[in-house]
Amino acid sequence: MKAMILAAGLGTRLRPLTENCPKALVEIAGRTLLEITLTRLRVFGIQDVIINVHHLSEMIVDFLKAKDDFGMHIEISREDVLLDTGGGLKKASWFFLEHSKCLDEPFLLHNVDVISTIDIQRMVQFHIENQALVTLMVQKRDSSRCLLFDEQFQLCGRRRGSDKQDECIRSSHRMQALAFSGIHVISPRLLTMMIEEGAFSIITSYLRLAANEERILAFRADEYYWRDVGNPNSLMQAGQDIELKMFQP
C-alpha cells in the first residue's frame, strides 16, 4: 500500500514557529510532525510514500536525507504554487498510477498536521468491504469542517461558515454532520475522475462525485485519539497528551 502526506502548506496558524521552519518539521516532544506521521504509516506496513512540499521545501528534503528516508521509499512532489489538497494529489497522481498492479489497491492520503491512533488497517478493510471510491475518517465532535452523511454513511453535503449553512448535493431524510479528520483511503480510479484544474480542495471533487452516486463513505473513528496540531494551543496540548500517554508519537 502507498501513501501521500500533505505537507506543502504554509503553516500560517503556527506562526511564528513556521516563519523559519516548515510545518512538517515542527516538533512535539522532540519529534517532527513528519517523523510522527511516517512512523505511523510504517507501523501499518506502508513503505512507499510521496510528500508534497512548498514552503521551505529544501529543509524537508535535507531532513529526510539526514534520516535516510527512515528506511522507506520516499518521493517528493514540489509545488511552485500551492495547489491545495485536490491539486496537490492530482499533481502526484503518477506515483499511484505508475504500476498496473497498484491500480486496484487503495492508497492513503494523510495530513502532516494530524496525529491519531486510528487503526489504518481496519479503515482500509472497511473501504474494501464497502467497495468505496473514497473513505473518510470522521468523528462526532465540534468542527468547522463538517461533512454531511446519510444513514448509509454516504456523503451528501457539507456544513460550513459561521452560520453553519448546509450545502446538500444528495437528498436524504436524515443527515448527520460529522467532523472530517484529515485521513482518507482512496481507490486509484478517483485520480482519473478529477476534472478540476489548478489549485482546488479535494472536497470539491468528492461532493461532485457523490452527487453522481459515487461511493464516498464515512469511517466513524470516535474511539481513537485524534488531534489537529495546526495551531499553537493544540500543539501544546498534544505535548501534554504524550506526557499522559494518551498516544505515542
Side-chain angles (χ1 to χ4, degrees), residues 16-245:
L17 290 176
T18 50
E19 288 179 355
N20 299 301
C21 174
K23 177 172 60 177
L25 299 187
V26 169
E27 294 186 357
I28 299 177
R31 300 178 70 185
T32 67
L33 298 182
L34 183 57
E35 178 182 354
I36 291 169
T37 305
L38 287 170
T39 300
R40 284 286 297 162
L41 298 185
R42 196 169 54 187
V43 164
F44 290 96
I46 298 173
Q47 291 289 330
D48 298 303
V49 180
I50 189 166
I51 304 168
N52 70 337
V53 296
H54 172 74
H55 176 56
L56 301 173
S57 59
E58 290 308 312
M59 291 181 67
I60 296 175
V61 173
D62 291 344
F63 171 77
L64 290 169
K65 184 178 180 180
K67 298 291 185 178
D68 293 321
D69 288 344
F70 295 93
M72 304 168 78
H73 167 222
I74 296 178
E75 297 281 353
I76 297 295
S77 179
R78 299 176 185 271
E79 296 182 12
D80 296 329
V81 176
L82 280 173
L83 296 173
D84 206 339
T85 50
L89 174 59
K90 189 170 183 176
K91 185 177 190 297
S93 62
W94 65 268
F95 182 72
F96 303 103
L97 300 173
E98 61 180 344
H99 301 302
S100 59
K101 68 178 182 179
C102 298
L103 297 183
D104 296 324
E105 183 179 47
F107 64 89
L108 194 76
L109 185 63
H110 197 301
N111 289 3
V112 77
D113 56 1
V114 160
I115 55 176
S116 78
T117 61
I118 187 172
D119 185 336
I120 292 173
Q121 187 174 3
R122 183 177 161 217
M123 184 175 173
V124 171
Q125 190 62 35
F126 172 90
H127 175 89
I128 294 171
E129 289 176 354
N130 288 278
Q131 299 180 315
L133 178 65
V134 178
T135 299
L136 304 172
M137 175 186 171
V138 297
Q139 294 177 319
K140 188 66 175 179
R141 53 180 170 78
D142 290 333
S143 174
S144 60
R145 296 192 300 174
C146 278
L147 297 175
L148 303 174
F149 297 89
D150 63 19
E151 292 173 296
Q152 287 73 46
F153 293 103
Q154 171 87 13
L155 180 66
C156 56
R158 65 178 161 186
R159 178 173 294 169
R160 59 180 178 172
S162 57
D163 55 356
K164 296 186 176 181
Q165 290 229 343
D166 289 351
E167 175 188 340
C168 300
I169 47 87
R170 294 174 61 251
S171 60
S172 174
H173 294 296
R174 292 183 60 187
M175 292 189 298
Q176 54 184 326
L178 297 169
F180 175 50
S181 300
I183 300 175
H184 330 221
V185 176
I186 300 173
S187 294
R189 64 188 184 91
L190 170 79
L191 302 173
T192 65
M193 304 166 74
M194 297 171 73
I195 60 174
E196 293 79 8
E197 298 289 344
F200 64 94
S201 168
I202 198 168
I203 300 299
T204 301
S205 299
Y206 292 165
L207 291 169
R208 174 178 56 80
L209 291 165
N212 290 320
E213 303 300 325
E214 292 290 344
R215 292 177 64 76
I216 315 291
L217 303 183
F219 177 78
R220 289 290 297 266
D222 302 296
E223 70 268 37
Y224 298 107
Y225 176 91
W226 177 91
R227 186 169 291 281
D228 174 353
V229 291
N231 65 70
N233 289 338
S234 189
L235 194 71
M236 183 183 303
Q237 184 61 56
Q240 295 173 4
D241 293 344
I242 291 174
E243 293 179 2
L244 295 173
K245 300 189 184 305

